[in-house]
Amino acid sequence: MSNTANARPGGEPAAVMLFPQPALQLVYDTAPIGLACLSPDCRYLQINQRLTEICGLSVEYHLGRSVRDCVPALADSVEQIVRSIMESGEPVIGIEVAGQRADQVDERFWVTYWHPLRAPSGQIVAINVAAEEITERKRSEQALRQARDAAEAALQDLREAQASLVEAEKLAALGRMVAGVAHEVNNPVGISLTVASSLQRRTERFAAEAARGGLRRSTLTEFVDAINDASKQLVTNLNRAAELVSAFKQVAADDDQSERREFDVGELTGRILVNLRPEFEERGILLNASCEPDLRMNSYPGPYGQVLTNLAFNAIAHAFLDGRQGAVDLIVRAAGPDHVEVVFADNGSGMSAETRRRAFDPFFTTRRHEGATGLGLHIVHNIVTERLGGRIRLDSKVGSGTRVQLLLPRIVGEQSAH
């Protein structure tokens, strides 16, 4: 390769002296990046072997020919860059070029740098081009984007699955409550039905005796006493059933609406416990409740009820294993002028340090083989900290039971400094 640019096709000589020193020519030829020199009319004055890989044509073929002859797909872009340099005199750097050779399947990528080559007079006589192949980097970036998109899609699927499981856990808790309430309602309704049936038979016998005309005072007195006794039993048992149904309806309405409103904490807690007691009694677990009177909150009764329900069923499922009996204490009291403290404590089996550390983690459970989802306490934590704006603390030791303390603002959104 000579020190001057090769002649163009047709014998017209190029006027640019490119490499006055053989060492520079060697560097040019062996450079690990593509190098070329273009005339102002976009003809190749010089090019190294590395850059010819863009189009697959030889060095000799490029020399003297235009960009449009060699790489027609890039000609418009190249001519625009050269015109910009000729007009402004400023280099153009960081231009990415993509192309696919006819003899290759995969697309390749380069980042190019364009600098003016000036004569001693300062006139721009050529454009130096450097091209660094970035195909592997581009492929890595594409693979990274695909992996990120796949991870984001998987994360979205996981969030949707978690939301579904959380909803399923809420419905399961509601289902357990419904079963307990149905069982509890069945007792007074069953007694009422028995009393009513007995009263019906006695009424029929009394009416038959009265029709025969042999009614005695003692029979009348006995019948009146039976009616009074049956009426008292019916009123007592039907009132009990009505109380259970009313309490459940209010709790279910709060869970369904989840609207913020003002309520008496003790009264709401009492209604929730009416629905929970049957489950505790069936397991032989004593439920002791102490609620400070006239303690009002402006918060979300539905989520509050969900917290107590989840804590109750979590204690039943984990604190009293294998039919073990015990007691649960629920205390609701004021904690200064701005907060309410709720303490839910059991004297059950307790937790190890590792279990206690992970108790609020989603999907963590020590009883997965029995169908537990590991979402009960996770839901409690989220409701307390996010919906009710409070704080939660859990203390537990193996063999010493578990104590959960909630500190809830009386008015959601208003926190005291302590």
Side-chain angles (χ1 to χ4, degrees), residues 124-367:
I124 299 176
V125 293
I127 307 296
N128 279 326
V129 183
E132 179 185 4
E133 185 166 3
I134 56 172
T135 302
E136 291 304 319
R137 191 185 80 188
K138 281 290 187 179
R139 290 173 181 169
S140 297
E141 290 174 353
Q142 183 178 10
L144 184 61
R145 282 194 299 271
Q146 292 173 344
R148 182 191 62 197
D149 292 343
E152 289 177 351
L155 179 60
Q156 182 62 30
D157 291 342
L158 179 61
R159 286 172 175 166
E160 291 176 359
Q162 181 172 341
S164 298
L165 288 171
V166 167
E167 190 62 28
E169 180 70 16
K170 290 180 180 179
L171 292 175
L174 182 61
R176 291 192 294 268
M177 185 185 293
V178 169
V181 170
H183 176 75
E184 188 73 4
V185 169
N186 185 60
N187 288 333
V189 170
I191 293 173
S192 297
L193 181 60
T194 301
V195 171
S197 298
S198 176
L199 182 60
Q200 182 183 24
R201 290 192 297 271
R202 299 191 70 165
T203 301
E204 290 172 352
R205 290 197 300 268
F206 178 82
E209 189 173 342
R212 290 194 299 269
L215 187 63
R216 294 175 295 179
R217 178 180 291 275
S218 60
T219 302
L220 179 60
T221 301
E222 181 184 352
F223 181 66
V224 171
D225 290 342
I227 290 176
N228 285 333
D229 183 57
S231 299
K232 290 178 181 178
Q233 291 189 60
L234 286 172
V235 169
T236 299
N237 284 282
L238 292 177
N239 278 339
R240 173 60 178 164
E243 177 187 353
L244 289 167
V245 172
S246 176
F248 179 74
K249 284 173 63 179
Q250 183 60 55
V251 171
D254 285 336
D255 283 344
D256 183 56
Q257 295 176 6
S258 295
E259 293 180 354
R260 174 175 172 172
R261 66 177 174 86
E262 188 173 328
F263 57 90
D264 184 288
V265 186
E267 180 183 336
L268 175 60
T269 303
R271 287 201 301 267
I272 295 168
L273 295 182
V274 165
N275 297 301
L276 293 175
R277 282 189 187 280
E279 190 78 17
F280 281 88
E281 291 173 357
E282 183 179 344
R283 305 296 181 92
I285 303 171
L286 183 62
L287 177 58
N288 304 310
S290 173
C291 299
E292 186 174 316
D294 301 322
L295 190 58
R296 303 197 67 79
M297 291 178 66
N298 191 327
S299 187
Y300 298 95
Y304 174 82
Q306 182 71 45
V307 166
L308 292 189
T309 301
N310 278 31
L311 288 176
F313 285 121
N314 189 76
I316 291 172
H318 298 281
F320 304 102
L321 301 175
D322 302 324
R324 174 180 175 179
Q325 297 182 347
V328 169
D329 295 322
L330 174 62
I331 302 172
V332 182
R333 59 196 174 198
D338 301 318
H339 288 80
V340 170
E341 182 187 36
V342 179
V343 177
F344 193 98
D346 65 66
N347 62 354
S349 57
M351 303 179 187
S352 67
E354 175 65 14
T355 299
R356 184 177 67 249
R357 184 180 66 84
R358 301 184 59 191
F360 297 126
D361 290 352
F363 308 112
F364 173 75
T365 177
T366 57
R367 303 186 65 190

Side-chain angles (χ1 to χ4, degrees), residues 94-98 109-112 134 137-138 141:
I95 302 298
E96 290 191 7
V97 175
F109 302 88
W110 292 263
V111 60
T112 60
I134 56 172
R137 191 185 80 188
K138 281 290 187 179
E141 290 174 353

Side-chain angles (χ1 to χ4, degrees), residues 93-134:
I93 60 176
I95 302 298
E96 290 191 7
V97 175
Q100 181 176 342
R101 286 170 41 172
D103 60 340
Q104 294 180 341
V105 176
D106 297 328
E107 190 175 35
R108 298 170 69 177
F109 302 88
W110 292 263
V111 60
T112 60
Y113 305 86
W114 309 69
H115 291 267
L117 178 62
R118 300 179 184 273
S121 63
Q123 178 185 2
I124 299 176
V125 293
I127 307 296
N128 279 326
V129 183
E132 179 185 4
E133 185 166 3
I134 56 172

